[in-house]
């Protein structure tokens, strides 16, 4: 059972370059998320999706774009990389089970450095 | 604004001791409070969670205490082991939005 898979694991980008972080999940989850984690900080939500074709902004969406063409895939696009986007990126997914509790499963992270 | 505040930022405890991490939240619409454990180089993983209609939940050596009136909750790790050394995040969720809001994290080091 693969769960949530992210690629690449590590990437160095030059300022102004573009790239896409890939994320796929095999649990048939409705919800998918992208978080970023800066050193010594908690996770901040970038974008999320409640299902194929539906996306919405989180706390820190500027400089990023997402799409959700299938239930399984939720890529994150950086159009013009900036040093402020140096971070660890986590993709996650979950069912929506209401207020009784809902486990969110995380991928192992993608380390991105912009120089 | 920081909706979930976590303290301390780091914690060192001897093997066999008790680790205590505290969190406070502001938004009364939160209705689910999970704790996540993260090892270096890995993504966070759900450790234990509590709903606001109970005051305590225990799973093995891990206990959540919840004080709804004070809008505070805490994680206690009993008989701490070196394998518990990790970063712990509290979080809060509004079921309607299904979006987690995380605390800043606590790095726990258990010395043998």
């Amino acid at each position: 059972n693969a769960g949530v898979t992210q690629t690449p694991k590590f990437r160095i980008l030059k300022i102004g370059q573009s790239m896409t972080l890939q994320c796929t999940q095999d649990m048939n989850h409705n919800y998918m998320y992208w978080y970023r984690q800066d050193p010594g900080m908690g996770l901040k939500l970038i974008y999320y999706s409640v299902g194929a074709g539906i996306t919405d902004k989180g706390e820190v969406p500027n400089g990023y774009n997402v799409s959700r063409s299938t239930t399984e895939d939720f890529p994150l696009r950086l159009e013009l990389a900036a040093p402020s986007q140096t971070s660890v990126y986590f993709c996650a997914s979950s069912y929506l089970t209401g207020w009784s509790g809902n486990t969110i499963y995380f991928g192992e992270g993608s380390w991105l450095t912009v120089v | 604004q920081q909706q979930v505040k976590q303290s301390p930022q780091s914690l060192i405890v001897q093997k066999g001791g008790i680790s205590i991490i505290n969190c406070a939240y502001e938004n009364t619409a939160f209705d689910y409070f999970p704790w996540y454990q993260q090892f270096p180089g890995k993504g966070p993983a759900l450790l234990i969670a509590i709903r606001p209609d109970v005051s305590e939940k225990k799973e093995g050596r891990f206990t959540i205490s919840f004080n709804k009136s004070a809008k505070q909750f805490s994680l206690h790790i009993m008989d701490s082991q070196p394998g518990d050394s990790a970063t712990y995040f509290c979080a809060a969720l509004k079921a309607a939005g299904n979006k987690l809001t995380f605390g800043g994290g606590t790095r726990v080091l258990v010395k043998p």
Side-chain angles (χ1 to χ4, degrees):
Chain A
N1 188 357
V4 179
T5 303
Q6 296 179 229
T7 57
K9 184 87 170 177
F10 300 96
R11 181 74 186 268
I12 298 175
L13 274 182
K14 293 185 178 179
I15 294 172
Q17 284 186 321
S18 300
M19 75 159 297
T20 299
L21 298 175
Q22 302 291 343
C23 176
T24 187
Q25 53 92 8
D26 62 359
M27 297 175 281
N28 201 32
H29 284 166
N30 299 321
Y31 278 64
M32 295 189 74
Y33 317 81
W34 275 105
Y35 287 88
R36 61 176 286 172
Q37 183 179 26
D38 298 322
M41 305 290 286
L43 288 84
K44 294 193 181 298
L45 184 63
I46 304 171
Y47 270 96
Y48 69 102
S49 168
V50 304
I54 306 170
T55 63
D56 207 347
K57 296 177 180 179
E59 298 174 78
V60 289
N62 292 342
Y64 306 95
N65 278 300
V66 294
S67 59
R68 183 96 180 269
S69 57
T70 67
T71 299
E72 295 79 18
D73 300 307
F74 190 42
L76 178 71
R77 177 92 178 151
L78 285 72
E79 291 293 348
L80 292 170
S84 62
Q85 294 178 305
T86 294
S87 190
V88 183
Y89 292 84
F90 289 98
C91 180
S93 71
S94 68
Y95 284 120
L96 174 60
T97 58
W99 74 279
S100 62
N102 183 44
T103 299
I104 296 179
Y105 296 87
F106 285 83
E108 295 206 331
S110 296
W111 273 252
L112 176 66
T113 301
V114 181
V115 296
Chain B
Q1 76 281 17
Q2 191 176 2
Q3 294 196 51
V4 180
K5 296 182 180 180
Q6 183 172 346
S7 63
Q9 286 187 311
S10 62
L11 182 59
I12 299 174
V13 62
Q14 292 295 126
K15 179 182 176 182
I18 302 173
S19 303
I20 301 174
I21 306 169
N22 300 300
C23 284
Y25 64 97
E26 299 171 359
N27 192 337
T28 55
F30 290 136
D31 55 11
Y32 177 63
F33 301 88
W35 284 87
Y36 281 79
Q37 181 187 54
Q38 184 182 29
F39 293 107
K42 300 294 185 182
L46 180 65
L47 181 65
I48 186 173
I50 196 167
R51 289 161 18 191
D53 55 346
V54 299
S55 60
E56 185 175 282
K57 183 173 182 180
K58 183 176 182 179
E59 289 184 2
R61 296 182 293 106
F62 300 90
T63 300
I64 301 177
S65 298
F66 188 84
N67 185 330
K68 187 174 182 178
S69 60
K71 293 189 285 185
Q72 295 176 346
F73 58 110
S74 61
L75 176 70
H76 291 63
I77 307 174
M78 312 300 287
D79 187 25
S80 296
Q81 300 296 312
D84 296 332
S85 296
T87 299
Y88 293 82
F89 293 96
C90 63
L93 180 141
K94 288 184 287 185
N98 213 53
K99 295 179 289 182
L100 278 174
T101 298
F102 283 88
T106 297
R107 183 173 292 182
V108 174
L109 175 63
V110 181
K111 290 193 170 182

